[in-house]
Amino acid sequence: MVKLPINAAVAIHQRKSVPIPWSCGRSIGRNVSINVLKRRDILVTNASTPAQSVELAVTNTSQNVGLPIMVNGCTGKMGRAVLEAAISAGLHPVPVALGGPEDNGKIVDVGGKEIKIHGTSQREDILSSVLNEYSNLIVVDYTVPAAVNENAALYCKVGVPFVMGTTGGDRELLYKTVADSNVYAVISPQMGKQVVAFLAAMEIMAEQFPGAFSGYQLQVMESHQASKLDVSGTAKAVISCFQKLGVSFELDQVQLIRDPKLQIEMVGVPEEHIYGHAFHMYHLTSPDGTVSFEFQHNVCGRSIYAEGTVDALLFLAKKVQSRANKRIYDMIDVLREGNMR
């Protein structure tokens, strides 16, 4: 694949709406190349049957094997990636997790550990029983946007700390639900530490230099697996920063690349990552066309998000243990704490 000069590529894009070629696994100018994920749609909903006592196959001896975690949505690719990263880091996934109605009774086997998935019934009793068995349990949520608020309400009601990696839902309600409880939580739609650092840098620039790019034209192109139909939360956050920097841009102007053929031939996504990647490009051009800036980050696979989630788990466990006054955190808090693996 030939990388065109920025100006030539932009000219082609303006004439033919063809995305600028990107690459994965190497740096291009100021671009950042790192590794991505695709979140699986797993719905966890309220119980539809009366509460009953639930017996779980857990043992006391397993409590001593690392920090106990429950990964809800682990039948999906992202949840499974988190399980693999957690086991590698010495954490202990409990043998129970919550899933959607279609997942009830399934067994997930990761690293020789079997996890039984429970569907939509009796989930409050199930979670309470696990918390009674593992008093320092932390839940990880990689379900679906439609389940975010119900799941958070459940975690808060039972009193279990959680890491919310699922995007979407009513975010204002999500934060209010946690704030009204005494539960500790890390809430972040972006778990990749390096991407979060880039977002933090953008926010600092927007705060300290408002209007610095007034009059500049912004082009945004993002490529994700075809199942992701909306603009990503990461792109929304970056665009918000550019707006504070004086750029006029609306979300409906984002060029979404979802055609696998275009992703391979024009964007440069490796074929093996068509079903799990995130390529973002932000191109700024001065009013007279003589100056341009380009920011790009390409992510292939899911490891960056899984590893970030493990760091969030370890961070949250320390906050719970120290009885920190602050209860709600994000990945920037995790980065600022340092001591990451």
Side-chain angles (χ1 to χ4, degrees):
M1 179 182 70
V2 179
K3 171 71 173 177
L4 295 176
I6 291 176
N7 291 338
V10 171
I12 290 174
H13 167 65
Q14 291 173 337
R15 292 196 305 268
K16 300 181 180 180
S17 296
V18 176
I20 295 174
W22 301 334
S23 71
C24 179
R26 63 180 186 277
S27 175
I28 303 177
R30 286 178 296 275
N31 301 339
V32 179
S33 297
I34 44 188
N35 270 327
V36 109
L37 81 108
K38 164 188 165 190
R39 293 191 175 97
R40 164 82 154 34
D41 290 345
I42 305 295
L43 177 63
V44 180
T45 57
N46 279 325
S48 58
T49 58
Q52 300 176 18
S53 61
V54 179
E55 295 182 1
L56 302 173
V58 290
T59 61
N60 290 325
T61 56
S62 62
Q63 287 183 332
N64 299 321
V65 185
L67 175 71
I69 63 170
M70 172 189 280
V71 181
N72 292 336
C74 64
T75 55
K77 293 180 179 179
M78 187 59 221
R80 190 177 186 88
V82 170
L83 283 174
E84 292 172 350
I87 293 172
S88 178
L91 278 61
H92 173 60
V94 299
V96 178
L98 303 179
E102 72 281 6
D103 298 316
N104 188 49
K106 289 183 179 179
I107 302 295
V108 174
D109 189 331
V110 178
K113 295 181 181 293
E114 291 189 350
I115 299 171
K116 183 177 181 180
I117 311 301
H118 292 265
T120 57
S121 64
Q122 301 178 312
R123 65 188 197 136
E124 182 178 333
D125 293 293
I126 291 168
L127 184 57
S128 296
S129 296
V130 177
L131 183 59
N132 287 336
E133 185 70 23
Y134 299 90
S135 60
N136 57 337
L137 176 74
I138 297 182
V139 168
V140 178
D141 191 295
Y142 275 106
T143 57
V144 291
V148 164
N149 296 109
E150 289 185 66
N151 291 354
L154 171 66
Y155 306 149
C156 291
K157 181 177 181 180
V158 174
V160 59
F162 65 95
V163 173
M164 179 61 75
T166 311
T167 61
D170 186 330
R171 305 308 276 192
E172 183 176 345
L173 176 59
L174 170 61
Y175 282 99
K176 184 179 186 305
T177 300
V178 182
D180 290 343
S181 71
N182 290 318
V183 167
Y184 289 88
V186 172
I187 301 173
S188 178
Q190 173 56 258
M191 288 292 178
K193 293 174 289 185
Q194 293 78 8
V195 178
V196 171
F198 167 68
L199 290 176
M202 288 295 301
E203 290 175 0
I204 291 171
M205 182 167 63
E207 179 182 348
Q208 296 188 5
F209 309 109
F213 286 93
S214 294
Y216 272 66
Q217 179 185 359
L218 175 64
Q219 292 174 288
V220 179
M221 289 182 284
E222 65 159 51
S223 174
H224 284 267
Q225 57 277 359
S227 61
K228 183 171 182 57
L229 302 177
D230 60 341
V231 178
S232 71
T234 301
K236 290 177 181 177
V238 174
I239 290 168
S240 175
C241 291
F242 280 125
Q243 290 170 336
K244 295 174 184 176
L245 287 163
V247 177
S248 177
F249 191 87
E250 300 299 328
L251 289 179
D252 60 8
Q253 294 177 264
V254 176
Q255 184 178 4
L256 303 178
I257 311 299
R258 298 296 185 265
D259 185 333
K261 189 173 186 293
L262 276 179
Q263 290 172 338
I264 294 172
E265 297 179 357
M266 305 306 300
V267 178
V269 179
E271 189 170 356
E272 63 270 26
H273 292 297
I274 285 298
Y275 299 106
H277 72 278
F279 280 31
H280 291 203
M281 192 282 288
Y282 312 89
H283 190 95
L284 291 158
T285 306
S286 64
D288 62 2
T290 62
V291 181
S292 64
F293 292 83
E294 183 176 299
F295 301 83
Q296 181 172 325
H297 53 90
N298 299 341
V299 180
C300 297
R302 296 172 176 80
S303 62
I304 184 175
Y305 303 102
E307 293 295 336
T309 302
V310 171
D311 280 324
L313 283 164
L314 297 173
F315 166 88
L316 193 59
K318 291 180 181 178
K319 295 303 178 184
V320 173
Q321 186 177 22
S322 65
R323 298 182 180 179
N325 292 327
K326 183 176 178 178
R327 300 292 174 124
I328 304 176
Y329 301 91
D330 57 24
M331 282 302 289
I332 292 180
D333 294 311
V334 178
L335 286 172
R336 286 174 176 160
E337 187 84 357
N339 300 320
M340 290 177 292
R341 301 163 302 114

